[in-house]
Amino acid sequence: MHILTYPDPVLYRQASPVDRIGPAERKLCDQMLETLYQARGVGLAAPQVGVSVRIAVIDLNTPEIGRDPLVLINPVITRREGEILWDEGCLSCPGFRTEMKRSGEVWVRARNQEGREIEISGRNLLAVVIQHELDHFEGKLLVDQAGRLRKSLYLRKLKKMQREKS
Ligand code: NI
């Protein structure tokens, strides 16, 4: 699947909850995971592939554990603890990074690809990725959450990248 990038309007929409988890939804999850691996990312939200629904796929793919896909459908954070600063990027904002303040640990209730209700918790990178993907459901993009200076520097960089492409 093609990953939409800033400033595509789909990225700014409120994503709808998924009310039925059937073959089409399962296929979307599989395609999103495939796209995530191809892009070598750690998380991807459905709005980033142009589908404005509350599905996120995550895989930290650490050397110790390897591939360990996590599918979150309609995820809700039920508890947060602590605070952490993390240098984040986003597949929809290529070439952009910024430090974000996030909760250090989060507890999440969601459905998985089979439609079963699951409860998970994550800390550090996993907590950061979960919060980042949930922001996508609210139409919140990393570039807009950074300071004004960082954003204007990125816009200049984007223009330069576009000029070099054409
Ligand atoms: Ni992102």
Side-chain angles (χ1 to χ4, degrees):
M1 300 180 102
H2 174 69
I3 298 177
L4 304 178
T5 57
Y6 172 86
D8 194 291
V10 178
L11 296 169
Y12 286 95
R13 273 188 219 150
Q14 275 271 339
S16 318
V18 176
D19 41 40
R20 189 181 159 273
I21 301 169
E25 288 71 25
R26 277 192 280 276
K27 188 179 171 200
L28 173 62
C29 295
D30 287 339
Q31 287 177 322
M32 284 173 61
L33 271 170
E34 209 175 288
T35 307
L36 177 70
Y37 293 132
Q38 253 169 31
R40 294 170 187 278
V42 287
L44 184 72
Q48 294 182 273
V49 290
V51 189
S52 204
V53 296
R54 303 176 92 85
I55 297 180
V57 297
I58 294 173
D59 197 331
L60 304 186
N61 213 341
T62 56
E64 306 86 64
I65 298 170
R67 279 193 184 181
D68 185 22
L70 175 65
V71 172
L72 297 176
I73 302 177
N74 300 338
V76 176
I77 293 178
T78 54
R79 190 175 147 210
R80 306 170 172 269
E81 231 167 68
E83 216 173 69
I84 197 171
L85 271 178
W86 207 276
D87 188 44
E88 292 181 34
C90 177
L91 293 173
S92 292
C93 315
F96 182 75
R97 299 201 71 85
T98 193
E99 202 163 72
M100 292 284 291
K101 197 190 272 178
R102 303 280 194 185
S103 300
E105 186 166 10
V106 294
W107 284 257
V108 177
R109 188 176 302 148
R111 291 196 180 273
N112 67 10
Q113 216 169 335
E114 282 78 50
R116 249 182 301 126
E117 196 164 300
I118 54 167
E119 282 191 64
I120 60 143
S121 68
R123 55 213 304 215
N124 302 326
L125 177 59
L126 182 54
V128 167
V129 177
I130 289 170
Q131 291 166 85
H132 178 114
E133 301 317 323
L134 265 66
D135 278 350
H136 277 296
F137 299 152
E138 308 308 324
K140 288 205 257 173
L141 264 192
L142 197 61
V143 270
D144 303 305
Q145 295 178 77
R148 203 168 273 192
L149 178 64
R150 291 201 75 87
K151 184 174 173 180
S152 64
L153 285 174
Y154 181 60
L155 295 185
R156 233 188 287 168
K157 188 173 170 181
L158 264 187
K159 269 189 204 142
K160 196 169 163 239
M161 276 158 49
Q162 276 155 3
R163 265 202 310 272
E164 279 162 3
K165 233 190 275 174
S166 55

